[in-house]
Amino acid sequence: MKLTLEQLNNASDLDALSALKGIYEHSDWIAQISIKKRPFKSLASIKFEMMSAVSQATKDQKLSLLKSHPELAGKAMVDNTLTRESKSEQTQSGLTHCSAQEFQQIQSLNSAYNEKFGWPFILAVRGPRGTGLNRTQIIETFERRLTNSLDLEFEECLRQVHRIAEIRLNDKFGISPTLGHELWDWHEALAVYSDPGFKEHNQLTVTYLTKAHINCAKDIKQLMLGCGFDSVHIDAVGNVVGKYLGREQGAQSKFLMTGSHYDTVRNAGKYDGRLGIFAPIMCVRELSKSGTRLKHGIEVVAFAEEEGQRFSATFLGSGSLVGTFDPKWLSQKDSDSISMIDAMRSAGLDISEISNLRRDPSKYIGFVEVHIEQGPVLNEIGLPLGVVTSINGSIRYLVEIRGVSAHAGTTPMNKRQDALCAASELTLYMEQRAKEDSQSVATVGQMHVPNGSVNVIPGSCKFSMDIRAPIDTQRDRLAEDIIKKLESTCKERGLSYTLQETLRISAAPSAPELQAFWEEAVTSVGLPLHKMPSGAGHDAMKIHEIMPQAMLFVRGEHSGISHNPLESTTSDDMQLCVEALMQLLMNACNS
Ligand code: HGY
Ligand code: MN
Ligand code: MN
């Protein structure tokens, strides 16, 4: 018999305790603390209260919680003394059917892990989608996490314990995050497209107007058409635009725009950008299936280019909608010397239409964007959703330092004009200078010596600089100091440099009225509010230039890592973001 919220809220303490037995392995103290927080508003709030009971516990209590877990394919499994829940989890993930080699591998991993950490390796083997990791994935995760620091692994194990509890609670309540599962599958389906040189290595890279990129646009368009949008088209820069009309037509009718980007960085994760496309498509499908029309319409835009990987044209997709498409971008060439204009033509885009893409802000309520956090905050505080207060402003540069290539063996150290040493000195200065401000960041993400040789002193060094801060004046001061250091370093070393600014975008505070809709939406799914700035840039900051915007962050797994194949979220968290977005749409589009 499945448990209901009402039963749990109305039960005696004793009955409530027994209802929550086994959620946390051999640790009923957690339920004891949590039931005092009744009545619970939702399943999400039960999960949060139980997680909070652990986070407020002592280190020793947390350690004993970890130690109460069985090893994977360990002694308890062999002796058949696992708890009912653990037995089902380890069976479902195939750990009871290891080959002799796998079994041996796991035993040695278990002993190495225990040796290093002093508690058993803990992994929610049902995985982020809840349908179970396979033995290969389990062993890969085990090997990867064995290299973690003690502190990081302690926190990761606690996160895994909460994930195990989350899935057990879902089972107890007979609730499955079905929309979240479907969203998970949509991401998997789109991730089959990847650029040459990456696809073969099972890496995800989708850069502007490659074949993979064009296939993504086609699939997103098909998905929108199948989800009840009234019109869908691919615009002149490759944005996929779907409209779901409101009840109000004609001059009075407005739209709420929402969306994110479908291009990726190199060797990317599957959720950066795409979650912000699929979540609103899912909401429109649910509205369409129920025949619901809101007062205002919904315009979902899958932006074609945000990352600026193939060409230095960051935010090209969203920029085109605010009228900042720079025609100079068209002559830019990629690393295969293909110009953007040629790439657009081969993709069948009508360049003459680009100038007509600018949106009239008076026709919009504003713009909202769902995005994975791409950072550790929500993962650390154990919250699935966060409301964004502002997006940090950034400046990007491409730099070339020029020295003199010379013989590495015969040129004395005091007679060199080494471009790479100068770039390295500047890079370390950037790191130290950014640390002096709160929340400033400065990164050299790309650096190379053109035509370098092992035995030649680098006569040229090309590199990128990415400089960000929560407010523009702080960002600008940091950039000025870095450029001053570039100048002085080159002067001292007898070098020259060129500096090309490739992006300058202002910090974008959230529009209070839209942020309030997000806060209401997060509260409506039974979660406490957490408001936070965004260190990452997003299309919302571009759209911010012509209309109000606000964002919702979704927790990332693995300490929120992003721009990395480990980027991940869970079906449960995606379910919650769809529910929150639906709530926002119902409120904002009916206001
Ligand atoms: O770089 C960024 O912040 C974003 O992922 N484009
Ligand atoms: Mn990104
Ligand atoms: Mn992004």
Side-chain angles (χ1 to χ4, degrees), residues 527-546:
L527 288 172
L529 269 186
H530 181 76
K531 301 176 203 172
M532 59 194 288
S534 170
H538 300 288
D539 289 303
M541 70 198 303
K542 201 46 167 164
I543 304 290
H544 175 84
E545 292 173 16
I546 64 164

Side-chain angles (χ1 to χ4, degrees), residues 116-154:
K116 176 172 181 182
F117 296 108
W119 62 80
F121 173 74
I122 300 170
L123 174 64
V125 292
R126 294 264 300 269
R129 193 189 182 291
T131 37
L133 299 170
N134 61 41
R135 289 191 296 272
T136 310
Q137 290 169 320
I138 291 169
I139 291 169
E140 272 170 6
T141 307
F142 209 152
E143 287 168 338
R144 174 170 56 80
R145 283 175 44 195
L146 190 54
T147 63
N148 277 348
S149 69
L150 269 161
D151 291 348
L152 182 68
E153 187 55 19
F154 187 80

Side-chain angles (χ1 to χ4, degrees), residues 392-586:
N392 287 358
S394 52
I395 303 177
R396 287 184 193 170
Y397 297 97
L398 289 178
V399 191
E400 179 176 13
I401 292 179
R402 291 198 188 106
V404 177
S405 338
H407 197 295
T410 58
T411 314
M413 289 310 288
N414 63 352
K415 297 219 181 311
R416 294 178 176 217
Q417 288 163 277
D418 185 328
L420 180 55
C421 285
S424 311
E425 183 178 341
L426 181 67
T427 304
L428 291 176
Y429 169 79
M430 283 173 67
E431 181 188 44
Q432 163 257 321
R433 172 59 186 81
K435 283 180 182 171
E436 290 169 10
D437 298 345
S438 95
Q439 292 188 344
S440 283
V441 287
T443 314
V444 174
Q446 291 171 317
M447 181 179 279
H448 76 283
V449 175
N451 311 315
S453 307
V454 172
N455 55 356
V456 176
I457 298 166
S460 161
C461 181
K462 294 186 174 178
F463 57 97
S464 60
M465 298 201 294
D466 179 313
I467 297 163
R468 313 188 193 199
I471 44 178
D472 290 353
T473 46
Q474 181 177 323
R475 175 202 64 186
D476 297 347
R477 269 200 312 277
L478 175 58
E480 278 149 29
D481 289 352
I482 289 170
I483 291 169
K484 271 191 207 126
K485 175 67 180 173
L486 170 62
E487 268 162 15
S488 61
T489 304
C490 287
K491 202 156 169 230
E492 279 151 31
R493 292 170 174 264
L495 307 173
S496 65
Y497 71 88
T498 60
L499 178 74
Q500 180 202 352
E501 181 178 299
T502 56
L503 172 73
R504 178 179 290 262
I505 188 158
S506 293
S510 298
E513 70 281 9
L514 288 176
Q515 183 176 325
F517 278 127
W518 275 128
E519 292 173 16
E520 198 180 346
V522 169
T523 309
S524 77
V525 297
L527 288 172
L529 269 186
H530 181 76
K531 301 176 203 172
M532 59 194 288
S534 170
H538 300 288
D539 289 303
M541 70 198 303
K542 201 46 167 164
I543 304 290
H544 175 84
E545 292 173 16
I546 64 164
M547 63 175 90
Q549 59 77 26
M551 291 185 72
L552 178 75
F553 271 170
V554 180
R555 166 173 56 188
E557 296 303 289
H558 311 128
S559 305
I561 192 169
S562 179
H563 284 186
N564 178 300
L566 275 177
E567 180 184 286
S568 177
T569 178
T570 65
S571 298
D572 291 78
D573 287 0
M574 290 200 275
Q575 173 82 28
L576 284 169
C577 101
V578 166
E579 290 171 9
L581 177 58
M582 182 63 93
Q583 191 62 42
L584 177 137
L585 294 172
M586 301 297 271

